[in-house]
Amino acid sequence: MSLVSQGINMKIAITKTKLSLIVSSALLIAACSNQKNEATDNMADLIAPIAKKVPHKMVIHNHTRIDDYYWMRDDSRTNPEILAHLDAENDYTAAQLKHTEAMQEKIFQEIKDRIEKDDNSVPIQKGDYYYSRQMQGENEYPIYVRATDFKGNNLEVLLDVNELAKAHDYYQVSGLSASPNGKLLAYGEDTVSRRIYTVQFKDIASNTLLDDKLEGTNGGIVWGNDNKTVYYIKKDPQTLLGYQVFRHTLGTSQANDEMVYEESNKAYYTGISKSKDGSSVFIWHSSTEASGVSVIDASNAKALPKKFIEREEGHEYSITKMNDWYYVKTNWQANNFRLMKVNEKNLGDKSKWQDVIPANAAVKLEDYELFNDHLVYQQRENGISRVTIQQLSTGKEQTLSFNDSAYSLELYGNNKLNNKALRLYYASFTTPGTHYDVDLTSFKKTQLKQTKVLGDFDSNNYASERIFVKARDGKKVPVSLVYRKDTFKKDGTNPLYQYAYGSYGSTIDPYFSVSRLSLLDRGFVYAIAHIRGSEMLGRPWYEDGKKLTKMNTFTDFIDVTKSLTTQGYGDKDKVFAAGGSAGGLLMGAVVNMAPELYTGIAAAVPFVDVVTTMLDESIPLTTNEFKEWGNPKEKAYYDYMLSYSPYDQVKAQDYPNILVTTGLHDSQVQYFEPMKWVAKLRDYKTDDNVLLFKTDMEAGHGGASGRFKRIHDTALEYSFFIDLLNKS
């Protein structure tokens, strides 16, 4: 709920509480340290906010925990005392970093100045039109357009998000989708950053909104083939879980919509999409260790979903339809997945499924695209992604080649079965994002666009490496590195910035970043540690970093830090680390386990109160995460999670300098997790290093909306690290 909606009286109450909290905190600290009584006019600039303690007893498995800051757990986001404390933390952070404001502005400007202001995406064909996104001048938001051909003829504006965003502090558009006949446009809008969207419908020709409005959705819709039936997912307002699929007919009230599917198992996420041939609506059922698909006839406005096959514990799969055949990417008897096909008359009989891309214990099948006479499949071997084009009629194959030793590849925009070319996106640490069309017959790559980097950027000034670091249990951890050639000597004098995520099987490939140049040009070596919990080395690499093996994620990161400094990639006294969300959990665990290794840490929207959150099924996403982290209602998982939970493992010791950031409206990691963590760290830490906590009062998990606003967050983090470096 927006603070504005609480009215003037609420604002007055917040202000009074805030002032009271700041003054009382300042007096308490002054008394405890026997400082002289000084004027309190600028105490908010000098004194870290001290949160009150209200012991809260929690007992499970005959084990008792006392949480002094449990009172901060208030998802109303209107509690005056909590908002006052967050404001006080923001004031303290601003005061502590005031001397870096010039540096923040400098970094903001140099990043912004590298970005081409007028920047259009590469058009993607869908139906009879080519759709793209335009960024213009100082605009924060895109303008969505379409044309009748790739060159942009007969261009028309579909949606100017800048105009829509004017009335809001936060604004996000999701799920733009034109009707099959191209006459109507649907889109979701979120003005709070809780990822609960209202879907609007627009008549493109008249540029007017329809009366239809779908509230409480996940932001996307799928059109039926009659141009008036749409399918959408409704979210639970408490858990924010999208679990109900509704069918809406344009021109009718949402109250009359028909629920065609309801997910009863809270461990599953629900998604919807349309088959490439347009014949079917797919309902996706996805949990961490199992999945399923239900299929609806897109041409029948009364059709009900049919299960593709019965769900099986441990079976993960996805499907694509072409004519009478379904292609199935599956982990059935294939830990690293394989591609199979089955005729629609034999769906439920897996003995009739036929191998297309066989299982390979050393190679993970990641993605694939089907065309009328071609199959394109993407695999990962030893951490490197590759794309192969196969002609279905002849079996002839060609694997695409690229210049960099490590890179990012993504297949996108391949919406038609009769395409003659494959669309893909390519980037590396030193190669800006590049879009290609690859001829499916000749395999010739045609570059459609490469992101322009303004200023004096020259890719030849930078170099990247890919190395392996031996972890404490003997496993070899891949590490991707990039640095500026003329500032790197490999003599152990460079500052090191180390990043990782390490959860959900999410693999962070080397990618190009214009903002990262601000670090590299100042002599930083930038490293991505591809720790366990990702799928960089296939599915087993992920499984060795989740649930009861999660500790490997943290020790891998620590071992990479030690190895990089030993090998001369970084100065052991100039190591900085960063991570967000589950990567923020990583940061929290690492500073508890090996605080002496790091000069500075940045933790964004950090998932740090692991045990308490995973015991509370009313919190968004908790039930979906049991297969990732474990269910602490089972003692084995409780004990293990407790052993690394950053909040529970805070202890009396020296900690590095820490910057924590969050968003008040975060829908994934609630703001009170980092709020509690910072309060407890302030109470326990034995050092004089800075601990700063900044809450964006208008944003959620993804940070500020707007392309330039986000740069301020990056500039803040970089300035925090560079300031520490200058003091070292």
Side-chain angles (χ1 to χ4, degrees), residues 350-418:
K350 287 196 293 187
S351 68
K352 301 288 179 66
W353 291 15
Q354 305 170 28
D355 263 333
V356 179
I357 306 296
N360 188 329
V363 181
K364 182 176 182 290
L365 176 64
E366 295 199 314
D367 197 8
Y368 70 99
E369 284 285 355
L370 274 173
F371 303 94
N372 283 340
D373 190 34
H374 290 88
L375 166 68
V376 178
Y377 58 96
Q378 184 173 357
Q379 296 172 302
R380 185 181 298 273
E381 184 175 12
N382 201 30
I384 300 298
S385 187
R386 65 171 184 252
V387 170
T388 301
I389 299 175
Q390 179 188 100
Q391 187 173 25
L392 293 173
S393 57
T394 65
K396 178 184 176 182
E397 286 193 344
Q398 177 70 42
T399 299
L400 304 180
S401 61
F402 298 92
N403 293 329
D404 298 291
S405 59
Y407 45 79
S408 299
L409 273 179
E410 179 185 356
L411 311 180
Y412 82 98
N414 299 288
N415 298 315
K416 296 179 64 178
L417 287 168
N418 63 350

Side-chain angles (χ1 to χ4, degrees), residues 639-663:
D639 291 342
Y640 191 79
M641 294 164 71
L642 194 64
S643 72
Y644 68 75
S645 174
Y647 181 72
D648 293 286
Q649 290 301 318
V650 169
K651 58 181 72 74
Q653 66 176 0
D654 285 0
Y655 282 89
N657 301 280
I658 301 175
L659 172 65
V660 182
T661 56
T662 192

Side-chain angles (χ1 to χ4, degrees), residues 688-703:
D688 293 326
N689 292 327
V690 294
L691 172 59
L692 305 178
F693 179 37
K694 181 180 179 182
T695 303
D696 188 327
M697 307 301 279
E698 304 296 340
H701 198 68

Side-chain angles (χ1 to χ4, degrees), residues 228-464:
K228 64 180 182 179
T229 301
V230 297
Y231 296 85
Y232 66 95
I233 295 174
K234 202 166 185 180
K235 282 193 168 186
D236 183 300
Q238 175 64 33
T239 65
L240 303 187
L241 182 65
Y243 70 109
Q244 296 174 324
V245 179
F246 282 85
R247 178 161 47 212
H248 174 77
T249 302
L250 293 181
T252 67
S253 169
Q254 184 182 8
N256 296 327
D257 289 351
E258 177 189 7
M259 185 172 69
V260 297
Y261 179 83
E262 181 172 18
E263 180 56 66
S264 59
N265 189 334
K266 293 182 179 180
Y268 279 80
Y269 292 101
T270 303
I272 52 175
S273 68
K274 200 170 188 179
S275 61
K276 187 183 286 191
D277 66 3
S279 68
S280 305
V281 175
F282 293 150
I283 302 177
W284 303 96
H285 323 296
S286 305
S287 71
T288 302
E289 296 179 341
S291 60
V293 186
S294 297
V295 182
I296 302 177
D297 183 350
S299 296
N300 182 354
K302 296 184 181 300
L304 294 176
K306 297 179 180 180
K307 294 179 182 178
F308 182 75
I309 57 172
E310 291 294 330
R311 283 188 205 167
E312 299 176 41
E313 186 66 28
H315 186 203
E316 300 174 58
Y317 71 93
S318 59
I319 64 173
T320 299
K321 186 175 184 293
M322 188 165 72
N323 302 320
D324 297 331
W325 290 84
Y326 284 96
Y327 283 70
V328 187
K329 177 191 168 188
T330 172
N331 71 342
W332 175 48
Q333 299 178 351
N335 194 33
N336 265 330
F337 291 85
R338 58 177 165 167
L339 187 64
M340 308 185 79
K341 68 178 182 179
V342 59
N343 192 281
E344 61 182 358
K345 65 184 179 182
N346 296 319
L347 286 186
D349 185 357
K350 287 196 293 187
S351 68
K352 301 288 179 66
W353 291 15
Q354 305 170 28
D355 263 333
V356 179
I357 306 296
N360 188 329
V363 181
K364 182 176 182 290
L365 176 64
E366 295 199 314
D367 197 8
Y368 70 99
E369 284 285 355
L370 274 173
F371 303 94
N372 283 340
D373 190 34
H374 290 88
L375 166 68
V376 178
Y377 58 96
Q378 184 173 357
Q379 296 172 302
R380 185 181 298 273
E381 184 175 12
N382 201 30
I384 300 298
S385 187
R386 65 171 184 252
V387 170
T388 301
I389 299 175
Q390 179 188 100
Q391 187 173 25
L392 293 173
S393 57
T394 65
K396 178 184 176 182
E397 286 193 344
Q398 177 70 42
T399 299
L400 304 180
S401 61
F402 298 92
N403 293 329
D404 298 291
S405 59
Y407 45 79
S408 299
L409 273 179
E410 179 185 356
L411 311 180
Y412 82 98
N414 299 288
N415 298 315
K416 296 179 64 178
L417 287 168
N418 63 350
N419 274 12
K420 295 181 179 180
L422 167 76
R423 176 71 58 82
L424 64 79
Y425 173 85
Y426 173 87
S428 75
F429 270 153
T430 57
T431 304
T434 310
H435 303 257
Y436 290 104
D437 268 352
V438 183
D439 189 282
L440 291 170
T441 302
S442 68
F443 313 119
K444 178 183 177 182
K445 294 196 292 283
T446 300
Q447 181 176 310
L448 304 174
K449 177 186 176 181
Q450 184 172 78
T451 300
K452 290 183 180 179
V453 183
L454 305 182
D456 60 356
F457 170 76
D458 183 346
S459 62
N460 294 316
N461 291 334
Y462 305 89
S464 64

